[in-house]
Amino acid sequence: QQQVKQSPQSLIVQKGGIPIINCAYENTAFDYFPWYQQFPGKGPALLIAIRPDVSEKKEGRFTISFNKSAKQFSLHIMDSQPGDSATYFCAAGSGGSNYKLTFGKGTLLTVNP
Amino acid sequence: NAGVTQTPKFQVLKTGQSMTLQCAQDMNHEYMSWYRQDPGMGLRLIHYSVGAGITDQGEVPNGYNVSRSTTEDFPLRLLSAAPSQTSVYFCASSYTSSGELFFGEGSRLTVL
């Protein structure tokens, strides 16, 4: 049972493009939606997170859009750079128990120069 | 500040062998978790702990054992390794139950 569905599996964009990664969830108890960034050989690192009381959150070039009624959220990367090439994971947590997140399967992003 | 430290970084085992993956954090975090990462599967929760002496099962606990005798350490034991346990294992910790999760750099395990 996949509780967080992530798409696409991989994505290639040119420098300056705006890659968009989408996630959908099923469990309405989820109330915390982080995105993690992972570089090869490293552990995931928190990029940005949102809670369902807001529809959008922006941190630098990274924006999360959240649609509670559709149970979907997405990550947008503005003015993407080759250094943004990484694997991105969406995740969901509930009840303040963010140490036991449910992750999507990941998206491998490549930003070409 | 070392953060979350995992050892070993690489390990090869034969089927049926046992071993322990070590995880230590120096941030005084109460909450610690073990995840496994497999291609196309994302990260899946194996076991977690909400404090010294308290552990519980995650999504994929079979074949693994954990204990938490100190706040700093959270080892993951493979009782009898199987090829299906070939994976990259990540330990993570957080200061509060609703806080950011900090990951180690991972331990790559191959079971032949």
Side-chain angles (χ1 to χ4, degrees), chain B residues 35-81:
Chain B
Y35 290 83
R36 61 176 288 173
Q37 182 177 14
D38 302 291
M41 296 294 292
L43 292 101
R44 292 180 291 169
L45 181 64
I46 304 172
H47 285 284
Y48 62 93
S49 169
V50 300
I54 308 171
T55 64
D56 206 345
Q57 297 180 351
E59 180 186 354
V60 288
N62 292 341
Y64 307 95
N65 199 2
V66 292
S67 60
R68 184 98 179 270
S69 57
T70 67
T71 299
E72 295 77 20
D73 301 298
F74 190 41
L76 178 72
R77 297 181 184 84
L78 280 71
L79 309 173
S80 177

mmCIF file of all heavy atoms in Angstrom, chain B residues 35-81:
data_model
loop_
_atom_site.group_PDB
_atom_site.id
_atom_site.type_symbol
_atom_site.label_atom_id
_atom_site.label_comp_id
_atom_site.label_asym_id
_atom_site.label_seq_id
_atom_site.Cartn_x
_atom_site.Cartn_y
_atom_site.Cartn_z
ATOM 1 N N TYR B 35 15.769 3.774 8.433
ATOM 2 C CA TYR B 35 15.091 3.602 7.162
ATOM 3 C C TYR B 35 15.981 2.780 6.235
ATOM 4 O O TYR B 35 17.195 2.799 6.347
ATOM 5 C CB TYR B 35 14.840 4.960 6.484
ATOM 6 C CG TYR B 35 13.811 5.829 7.166
ATOM 7 C CD1 TYR B 35 14.152 6.630 8.262
ATOM 8 C CD2 TYR B 35 12.490 5.874 6.715
ATOM 9 C CE1 TYR B 35 13.204 7.433 8.881
ATOM 10 C CE2 TYR B 35 11.547 6.686 7.323
ATOM 11 C CZ TYR B 35 11.912 7.453 8.412
ATOM 12 O OH TYR B 35 10.973 8.253 9.014
ATOM 13 N N ARG B 36 15.361 2.088 5.293
ATOM 14 C CA ARG B 36 16.102 1.465 4.220
ATOM 15 C C ARG B 36 15.681 2.089 2.900
ATOM 16 O O ARG B 36 14.520 2.464 2.725
ATOM 17 C CB ARG B 36 15.927 -0.048 4.199
ATOM 18 C CG ARG B 36 14.534 -0.568 4.004
ATOM 19 C CD ARG B 36 14.500 -2.096 3.913
ATOM 20 N NE ARG B 36 15.050 -2.584 2.646
ATOM 21 C CZ ARG B 36 15.266 -3.869 2.373
ATOM 22 N NH1 ARG B 36 14.971 -4.799 3.262
ATOM 23 N NH2 ARG B 36 15.770 -4.228 1.208
ATOM 24 N N GLN B 37 16.653 2.242 2.007
ATOM 25 C CA GLN B 37 16.388 2.846 0.710
ATOM 26 C C GLN B 37 16.739 1.857 -0.376
ATOM 27 O O GLN B 37 17.873 1.388 -0.477
ATOM 28 C CB GLN B 37 17.210 4.127 0.522
ATOM 29 C CG GLN B 37 16.930 4.831 -0.791
ATOM 30 C CD GLN B 37 17.695 6.131 -0.938
ATOM 31 O OE1 GLN B 37 18.625 6.420 -0.199
ATOM 32 N NE2 GLN B 37 17.289 6.943 -1.895
ATOM 33 N N ASP B 38 15.758 1.536 -1.186
ATOM 34 C CA ASP B 38 15.933 0.623 -2.295
ATOM 35 C C ASP B 38 15.543 1.333 -3.590
ATOM 36 O O ASP B 38 14.651 2.181 -3.583
ATOM 37 C CB ASP B 38 15.068 -0.624 -2.097
ATOM 38 C CG ASP B 38 15.391 -1.339 -0.804
ATOM 39 O OD1 ASP B 38 16.496 -1.898 -0.730
ATOM 40 O OD2 ASP B 38 14.568 -1.317 0.126
ATOM 41 N N PRO B 39 16.186 0.997 -4.701
ATOM 42 C CA PRO B 39 15.891 1.671 -5.980
ATOM 43 C C PRO B 39 14.403 1.614 -6.305
ATOM 44 O O PRO B 39 13.784 0.549 -6.281
ATOM 45 C CB PRO B 39 16.715 0.867 -6.986
ATOM 46 C CG PRO B 39 17.832 0.293 -6.197
ATOM 47 C CD PRO B 39 17.249 -0.021 -4.846
ATOM 48 N N GLY B 40 13.840 2.777 -6.608
ATOM 49 C CA GLY B 40 12.439 2.838 -6.985
ATOM 50 C C GLY B 40 11.457 2.639 -5.849
ATOM 51 O O GLY B 40 10.241 2.546 -6.083
ATOM 52 N N MET B 41 11.967 2.551 -4.614
ATOM 53 C CA MET B 41 11.076 2.289 -3.472
ATOM 54 C C MET B 41 11.051 3.424 -2.466
ATOM 55 O O MET B 41 10.315 3.381 -1.487
ATOM 56 C CB MET B 41 11.505 1.001 -2.761
ATOM 57 C CG MET B 41 11.391 -0.247 -3.601
ATOM 58 S SD MET B 41 9.676 -0.608 -3.997
ATOM 59 C CE MET B 41 9.049 -1.043 -2.385
ATOM 60 N N GLY B 42 11.867 4.428 -2.651
ATOM 61 C CA GLY B 42 11.934 5.494 -1.664
ATOM 62 C C GLY B 42 12.581 5.007 -0.380
ATOM 63 O O GLY B 42 13.382 4.067 -0.382
ATOM 64 N N LEU B 43 12.234 5.640 0.723
ATOM 65 C CA LEU B 43 12.743 5.235 2.034
ATOM 66 C C LEU B 43 11.597 4.613 2.823
ATOM 67 O O LEU B 43 10.490 5.169 2.861
ATOM 68 C CB LEU B 43 13.298 6.437 2.799
ATOM 69 C CG LEU B 43 14.562 7.057 2.226
ATOM 70 C CD1 LEU B 43 14.238 8.315 1.447
ATOM 71 C CD2 LEU B 43 15.561 7.362 3.324
ATOM 72 N N ARG B 44 11.884 3.500 3.454
ATOM 73 C CA ARG B 44 10.870 2.815 4.238
ATOM 74 C C ARG B 44 11.345 2.652 5.675
ATOM 75 O O ARG B 44 12.494 2.269 5.925
ATOM 76 C CB ARG B 44 10.535 1.452 3.622
ATOM 77 C CG ARG B 44 9.832 1.565 2.273
ATOM 78 C CD ARG B 44 9.525 0.186 1.704
ATOM 79 N NE ARG B 44 10.753 -0.505 1.319
ATOM 80 C CZ ARG B 44 10.806 -1.793 0.996
ATOM 81 N NH1 ARG B 44 9.715 -2.539 1.034
ATOM 82 N NH2 ARG B 44 11.953 -2.338 0.642
ATOM 83 N N LEU B 45 10.461 2.924 6.613
ATOM 84 C CA LEU B 45 10.793 2.922 8.029
ATOM 85 C C LEU B 45 10.899 1.496 8.566
ATOM 86 O O LEU B 45 9.980 0.690 8.394
ATOM 87 C CB LEU B 45 9.725 3.699 8.804
ATOM 88 C CG LEU B 45 9.910 3.835 10.301
ATOM 89 C CD1 LEU B 45 11.162 4.638 10.634
ATOM 90 C CD2 LEU B 45 8.682 4.484 10.916
ATOM 91 N N ILE B 46 12.013 1.194 9.235
ATOM 92 C CA ILE B 46 12.228 -0.145 9.781
ATOM 93 C C ILE B 46 11.827 -0.182 11.264
ATOM 94 O O ILE B 46 10.955 -0.947 11.677
ATOM 95 C CB ILE B 46 13.698 -0.565 9.630
ATOM 96 C CG1 ILE B 46 14.151 -0.478 8.175
ATOM 97 C CG2 ILE B 46 13.903 -1.989 10.159
ATOM 98 C CD1 ILE B 46 15.643 -0.684 7.976
ATOM 99 N N HIS B 47 12.498 0.615 12.063
ATOM 100 C CA HIS B 47 12.217 0.735 13.491
ATOM 101 C C HIS B 47 12.466 2.176 13.912
ATOM 102 O O HIS B 47 13.195 2.900 13.246
ATOM 103 C CB HIS B 47 13.138 -0.170 14.327
ATOM 104 C CG HIS B 47 12.801 -1.623 14.297
ATOM 105 N ND1 HIS B 47 11.751 -2.164 14.999
ATOM 106 C CD2 HIS B 47 13.411 -2.657 13.666
ATOM 107 C CE1 HIS B 47 11.714 -3.473 14.803
ATOM 108 N NE2 HIS B 47 12.713 -3.802 13.994
ATOM 109 N N TYR B 48 11.878 2.551 15.030
ATOM 110 C CA TYR B 48 12.121 3.880 15.550
ATOM 111 C C TYR B 48 12.125 3.856 17.073
ATOM 112 O O TYR B 48 11.701 2.868 17.701
ATOM 113 C CB TYR B 48 11.089 4.887 15.034
ATOM 114 C CG TYR B 48 9.654 4.604 15.441
ATOM 115 C CD1 TYR B 48 9.108 5.170 16.588
ATOM 116 C CD2 TYR B 48 8.842 3.773 14.667
ATOM 117 C CE1 TYR B 48 7.801 4.922 16.956
ATOM 118 C CE2 TYR B 48 7.536 3.519 15.021
ATOM 119 C CZ TYR B 48 7.020 4.088 16.166
ATOM 120 O OH TYR B 48 5.721 3.841 16.524
ATOM 121 N N SER B 49 12.619 4.945 17.652
ATOM 122 C CA SER B 49 12.700 5.051 19.111
ATOM 123 C C SER B 49 12.345 6.480 19.524
ATOM 124 O O SER B 49 12.795 7.440 18.906
ATOM 125 C CB SER B 49 14.117 4.713 19.586
ATOM 126 O OG SER B 49 14.279 5.050 20.946
ATOM 127 N N VAL B 50 11.546 6.591 20.570
ATOM 128 C CA VAL B 50 11.150 7.919 21.064
ATOM 129 C C VAL B 50 11.919 8.302 22.316
ATOM 130 O O VAL B 50 11.611 9.305 22.955
ATOM 131 C CB VAL B 50 9.632 7.992 21.305
ATOM 132 C CG1 VAL B 50 8.870 7.721 20.011
ATOM 133 C CG2 VAL B 50 9.202 7.017 22.389
ATOM 134 N N GLY B 51 12.915 7.505 22.663
ATOM 135 C CA GLY B 51 13.753 7.815 23.812
ATOM 136 C C GLY B 51 14.453 6.564 24.291
ATOM 137 O O GLY B 51 14.125 5.443 23.866
ATOM 138 N N ALA B 52 15.425 6.745 25.183
ATOM 139 C CA ALA B 52 16.176 5.594 25.698
ATOM 140 C C ALA B 52 15.223 4.586 26.318
ATOM 141 O O ALA B 52 14.337 4.939 27.103
ATOM 142 C CB ALA B 52 17.197 6.070 26.722
ATOM 143 N N GLY B 53 15.394 3.334 25.914
ATOM 144 C CA GLY B 53 14.589 2.247 26.446
ATOM 145 C C GLY B 53 13.269 2.023 25.745
ATOM 146 O O GLY B 53 12.532 1.094 26.079
ATOM 147 N N ILE B 54 12.932 2.865 24.753
ATOM 148 C CA ILE B 54 11.630 2.773 24.067
ATOM 149 C C ILE B 54 11.844 2.626 22.567
ATOM 150 O O ILE B 54 12.422 3.513 21.928
ATOM 151 C CB ILE B 54 10.770 4.019 24.328
ATOM 152 C CG1 ILE B 54 10.657 4.294 25.828
ATOM 153 C CG2 ILE B 54 9.395 3.852 23.701
ATOM 154 C CD1 ILE B 54 10.019 5.626 26.156
ATOM 155 N N THR B 55 11.392 1.503 22.009
ATOM 156 C CA THR B 55 11.489 1.291 20.569
ATOM 157 C C THR B 55 10.162 0.746 20.052
ATOM 158 O O THR B 55 9.348 0.217 20.817
ATOM 159 C CB THR B 55 12.613 0.303 20.206
ATOM 160 O OG1 THR B 55 12.305 -0.984 20.750
ATOM 161 C CG2 THR B 55 13.959 0.765 20.738
ATOM 162 N N ASP B 56 9.964 0.864 18.749
ATOM 163 C CA ASP B 56 8.742 0.340 18.139
ATOM 164 C C ASP B 56 9.015 0.031 16.675
ATOM 165 O O ASP B 56 10.010 0.498 16.103
ATOM 166 C CB ASP B 56 7.589 1.332 18.272
ATOM 167 C CG ASP B 56 6.233 0.631 18.251
ATOM 168 O OD1 ASP B 56 6.170 -0.552 17.847
ATOM 169 O OD2 ASP B 56 5.235 1.280 18.622
ATOM 170 N N GLN B 57 8.116 -0.766 16.073
ATOM 171 C CA GLN B 57 8.284 -1.209 14.705
ATOM 172 C C GLN B 57 7.744 -0.192 13.725
ATOM 173 O O GLN B 57 6.746 0.477 13.973
ATOM 174 C CB GLN B 57 7.565 -2.551 14.504
ATOM 175 C CG GLN B 57 8.119 -3.673 15.347
ATOM 176 C CD GLN B 57 7.376 -4.975 15.111
ATOM 177 O OE1 GLN B 57 6.353 -5.007 14.451
ATOM 178 N NE2 GLN B 57 7.900 -6.060 15.642
ATOM 179 N N GLY B 58 8.409 -0.144 12.567
ATOM 180 C CA GLY B 58 7.920 0.671 11.475
ATOM 181 C C GLY B 58 7.239 -0.190 10.429
ATOM 182 O O GLY B 58 6.616 -1.204 10.743
ATOM 183 N N GLU B 59 7.383 0.192 9.171
ATOM 184 C CA GLU B 59 6.691 -0.460 8.062
ATOM 185 C C GLU B 59 7.288 -1.812 7.703
ATOM 186 O O GLU B 59 6.575 -2.739 7.337
ATOM 187 C CB GLU B 59 6.749 0.470 6.846
ATOM 188 C CG GLU B 59 6.075 -0.057 5.584
ATOM 189 C CD GLU B 59 6.295 0.862 4.398
ATOM 190 O OE1 GLU B 59 6.872 1.960 4.585
ATOM 191 O OE2 GLU B 59 5.883 0.488 3.274
ATOM 192 N N VAL B 60 8.625 -1.951 7.803
ATOM 193 C CA VAL B 60 9.301 -3.172 7.350
ATOM 194 C C VAL B 60 10.244 -3.697 8.427
ATOM 195 O O VAL B 60 11.464 -3.740 8.239
ATOM 196 C CB VAL B 60 10.047 -2.935 6.009
ATOM 197 C CG1 VAL B 60 9.074 -2.798 4.864
ATOM 198 C CG2 VAL B 60 10.962 -1.713 6.104
ATOM 199 N N PRO B 61 9.743 -4.171 9.567
ATOM 200 C CA PRO B 61 10.608 -4.549 10.694
ATOM 201 C C PRO B 61 11.173 -5.964 10.657
ATOM 202 O O PRO B 61 12.124 -6.271 11.389
ATOM 203 C CB PRO B 61 9.665 -4.408 11.892
ATOM 204 C CG PRO B 61 8.325 -4.783 11.319
ATOM 205 C CD PRO B 61 8.325 -4.261 9.908
ATOM 206 N N ASN B 62 10.584 -6.841 9.819
ATOM 207 C CA ASN B 62 10.968 -8.252 9.869
ATOM 208 C C ASN B 62 12.432 -8.463 9.511
ATOM 209 O O ASN B 62 12.920 -7.978 8.493
ATOM 210 C CB ASN B 62 10.069 -9.063 8.927
ATOM 211 C CG ASN B 62 8.637 -9.109 9.420
ATOM 212 O OD1 ASN B 62 8.363 -8.866 10.589
ATOM 213 N ND2 ASN B 62 7.713 -9.377 8.515
ATOM 214 N N GLY B 63 13.123 -9.246 10.354
ATOM 215 C CA GLY B 63 14.524 -9.558 10.118
ATOM 216 C C GLY B 63 15.487 -8.595 10.784
ATOM 217 O O GLY B 63 16.704 -8.762 10.674
ATOM 218 N N TYR B 64 14.948 -7.605 11.461
ATOM 219 C CA TYR B 64 15.767 -6.572 12.113
ATOM 220 C C TYR B 64 15.390 -6.453 13.599
ATOM 221 O O TYR B 64 14.248 -6.648 13.970
ATOM 222 C CB TYR B 64 15.562 -5.205 11.468
ATOM 223 C CG TYR B 64 15.760 -5.162 9.977
ATOM 224 C CD1 TYR B 64 14.675 -5.279 9.112
ATOM 225 C CD2 TYR B 64 17.019 -4.992 9.430
ATOM 226 C CE1 TYR B 64 14.831 -5.235 7.746
ATOM 227 C CE2 TYR B 64 17.200 -4.939 8.050
ATOM 228 C CZ TYR B 64 16.090 -5.065 7.216
ATOM 229 O OH TYR B 64 16.265 -5.015 5.855
ATOM 230 N N ASN B 65 16.398 -6.079 14.384
ATOM 231 C CA ASN B 65 16.178 -5.870 15.803
ATOM 232 C C ASN B 65 16.890 -4.577 16.211
ATOM 233 O O ASN B 65 17.943 -4.236 15.658
ATOM 234 C CB ASN B 65 16.753 -7.049 16.590
ATOM 235 C CG ASN B 65 16.175 -7.128 17.982
ATOM 236 O OD1 ASN B 65 15.322 -6.332 18.358
ATOM 237 N ND2 ASN B 65 16.647 -8.094 18.746
ATOM 238 N N VAL B 66 16.304 -3.850 17.154
ATOM 239 C CA VAL B 66 16.920 -2.620 17.633
ATOM 240 C C VAL B 66 16.851 -2.572 19.156
ATOM 241 O O VAL B 66 16.055 -3.269 19.776
ATOM 242 C CB VAL B 66 16.236 -1.353 17.071
ATOM 243 C CG1 VAL B 66 16.463 -1.207 15.580
ATOM 244 C CG2 VAL B 66 14.754 -1.346 17.414
ATOM 245 N N SER B 67 17.688 -1.727 19.710
ATOM 246 C CA SER B 67 17.640 -1.417 21.136
ATOM 247 C C SER B 67 18.108 0.015 21.306
ATOM 248 O O SER B 67 18.786 0.572 20.434
ATOM 249 C CB SER B 67 18.523 -2.370 21.943
ATOM 250 O OG SER B 67 19.867 -2.267 21.506
ATOM 251 N N ARG B 68 17.770 0.627 22.421
ATOM 252 C CA ARG B 68 18.164 2.025 22.678
ATOM 253 C C ARG B 68 18.513 2.137 24.162
ATOM 254 O O ARG B 68 17.699 2.495 24.990
ATOM 255 C CB ARG B 68 17.010 2.963 22.315
ATOM 256 C CG ARG B 68 17.377 4.445 22.463
ATOM 257 C CD ARG B 68 17.760 5.062 21.160
ATOM 258 N NE ARG B 68 18.090 6.469 21.287
ATOM 259 C CZ ARG B 68 17.202 7.465 21.163
ATOM 260 N NH1 ARG B 68 15.918 7.183 20.951
ATOM 261 N NH2 ARG B 68 17.590 8.713 21.278
ATOM 262 N N SER B 69 19.748 1.825 24.463
ATOM 263 C CA SER B 69 20.176 1.858 25.862
ATOM 264 C C SER B 69 20.637 3.256 26.276
ATOM 265 O O SER B 69 20.646 3.584 27.472
ATOM 266 C CB SER B 69 21.292 0.843 26.104
ATOM 267 O OG SER B 69 22.377 1.095 25.232
ATOM 268 N N THR B 70 21.033 4.086 25.315
ATOM 269 C CA THR B 70 21.444 5.455 25.606
ATOM 270 C C THR B 70 20.748 6.400 24.630
ATOM 271 O O THR B 70 20.257 5.967 23.578
ATOM 272 C CB THR B 70 22.960 5.654 25.464
ATOM 273 O OG1 THR B 70 23.327 5.504 24.078
ATOM 274 C CG2 THR B 70 23.742 4.646 26.305
ATOM 275 N N THR B 71 20.727 7.676 24.952
ATOM 276 C CA THR B 71 20.146 8.653 24.043
ATOM 277 C C THR B 71 20.942 8.729 22.742
ATOM 278 O O THR B 71 20.382 8.930 21.674
ATOM 279 C CB THR B 71 20.115 10.050 24.699
ATOM 280 O OG1 THR B 71 19.306 9.998 25.869
ATOM 281 C CG2 THR B 71 19.564 11.109 23.745
ATOM 282 N N GLU B 72 22.265 8.539 22.820
ATOM 283 C CA GLU B 72 23.137 8.763 21.675
ATOM 284 C C GLU B 72 23.114 7.641 20.641
ATOM 285 O O GLU B 72 23.316 7.889 19.463
ATOM 286 C CB GLU B 72 24.587 8.941 22.152
ATOM 287 C CG GLU B 72 24.835 10.180 22.997
ATOM 288 C CD GLU B 72 24.340 10.035 24.427
ATOM 289 O OE1 GLU B 72 24.161 8.878 24.888
ATOM 290 O OE2 GLU B 72 24.122 11.063 25.088
ATOM 291 N N ASP B 73 22.908 6.393 21.061
ATOM 292 C CA ASP B 73 23.128 5.258 20.173
ATOM 293 C C ASP B 73 21.850 4.498 19.854
ATOM 294 O O ASP B 73 21.012 4.259 20.733
ATOM 295 C CB ASP B 73 24.143 4.296 20.803
ATOM 296 C CG ASP B 73 25.475 4.970 21.063
ATOM 297 O OD1 ASP B 73 26.088 5.411 20.069
ATOM 298 O OD2 ASP B 73 25.884 5.065 22.230
ATOM 299 N N PHE B 74 21.759 4.056 18.599
ATOM 300 C CA PHE B 74 20.579 3.300 18.167
ATOM 301 C C PHE B 74 21.031 2.268 17.139
ATOM 302 O O PHE B 74 20.878 2.447 15.922
ATOM 303 C CB PHE B 74 19.549 4.267 17.570
ATOM 304 C CG PHE B 74 18.199 3.651 17.303
ATOM 305 C CD1 PHE B 74 17.609 2.776 18.201
ATOM 306 C CD2 PHE B 74 17.494 3.994 16.151
ATOM 307 C CE1 PHE B 74 16.357 2.235 17.969
ATOM 308 C CE2 PHE B 74 16.237 3.458 15.900
ATOM 309 C CZ PHE B 74 15.673 2.575 16.806
ATOM 310 N N PRO B 75 21.588 1.151 17.573
ATOM 311 C CA PRO B 75 22.086 0.146 16.627
ATOM 312 C C PRO B 75 20.962 -0.676 15.995
ATOM 313 O O PRO B 75 19.931 -0.928 16.632
ATOM 314 C CB PRO B 75 22.979 -0.736 17.514
ATOM 315 C CG PRO B 75 22.411 -0.582 18.890
ATOM 316 C CD PRO B 75 21.890 0.824 18.967
ATOM 317 N N LEU B 76 21.201 -1.100 14.769
ATOM 318 C CA LEU B 76 20.271 -1.949 14.028
ATOM 319 C C LEU B 76 20.936 -3.305 13.804
ATOM 320 O O LEU B 76 22.010 -3.376 13.214
ATOM 321 C CB LEU B 76 19.925 -1.314 12.675
ATOM 322 C CG LEU B 76 18.985 -2.110 11.769
ATOM 323 C CD1 LEU B 76 17.565 -2.091 12.330
ATOM 324 C CD2 LEU B 76 18.991 -1.553 10.343
ATOM 325 N N ARG B 77 20.300 -4.351 14.264
ATOM 326 C CA ARG B 77 20.867 -5.700 14.159
ATOM 327 C C ARG B 77 20.140 -6.507 13.098
ATOM 328 O O ARG B 77 18.905 -6.554 13.087
ATOM 329 C CB ARG B 77 20.788 -6.419 15.505
ATOM 330 C CG ARG B 77 21.603 -5.749 16.598
ATOM 331 C CD ARG B 77 21.523 -6.519 17.911
ATOM 332 N NE ARG B 77 22.228 -5.816 18.965
ATOM 333 C CZ ARG B 77 21.686 -4.836 19.686
ATOM 334 N NH1 ARG B 77 20.437 -4.468 19.473
ATOM 335 N NH2 ARG B 77 22.396 -4.240 20.624
ATOM 336 N N LEU B 78 20.916 -7.141 12.232
ATOM 337 C CA LEU B 78 20.372 -8.108 11.287
ATOM 338 C C LEU B 78 20.631 -9.487 11.887
ATOM 339 O O LEU B 78 21.773 -9.869 12.121
ATOM 340 C CB LEU B 78 21.037 -7.989 9.922
ATOM 341 C CG LEU B 78 20.538 -6.860 9.021
ATOM 342 C CD1 LEU B 78 20.968 -5.497 9.542
ATOM 343 C CD2 LEU B 78 21.013 -7.076 7.599
ATOM 344 N N LEU B 79 19.588 -10.212 12.135
ATOM 345 C CA LEU B 79 19.691 -11.456 12.892
ATOM 346 C C LEU B 79 20.253 -12.598 12.039
ATOM 347 O O LEU B 79 21.099 -13.361 12.485
ATOM 348 C CB LEU B 79 18.323 -11.819 13.448
ATOM 349 C CG LEU B 79 17.629 -10.671 14.207
ATOM 350 C CD1 LEU B 79 16.212 -11.046 14.592
ATOM 351 C CD2 LEU B 79 18.451 -10.269 15.428
ATOM 352 N N SER B 80 19.764 -12.722 10.818
ATOM 353 C CA SER B 80 20.209 -13.755 9.881
ATOM 354 C C SER B 80 20.029 -13.166 8.486
ATOM 355 O O SER B 80 18.934 -13.202 7.927
ATOM 356 C CB SER B 80 19.396 -15.033 10.044
ATOM 357 O OG SER B 80 19.791 -16.007 9.093
ATOM 358 N N ALA B 81 21.097 -12.600 7.944
ATOM 359 C CA ALA B 81 20.995 -11.799 6.732
ATOM 360 C C ALA B 81 20.464 -12.601 5.544
ATOM 361 O O ALA B 81 20.813 -13.785 5.364
ATOM 362 C CB ALA B 81 22.354 -11.197 6.383
#
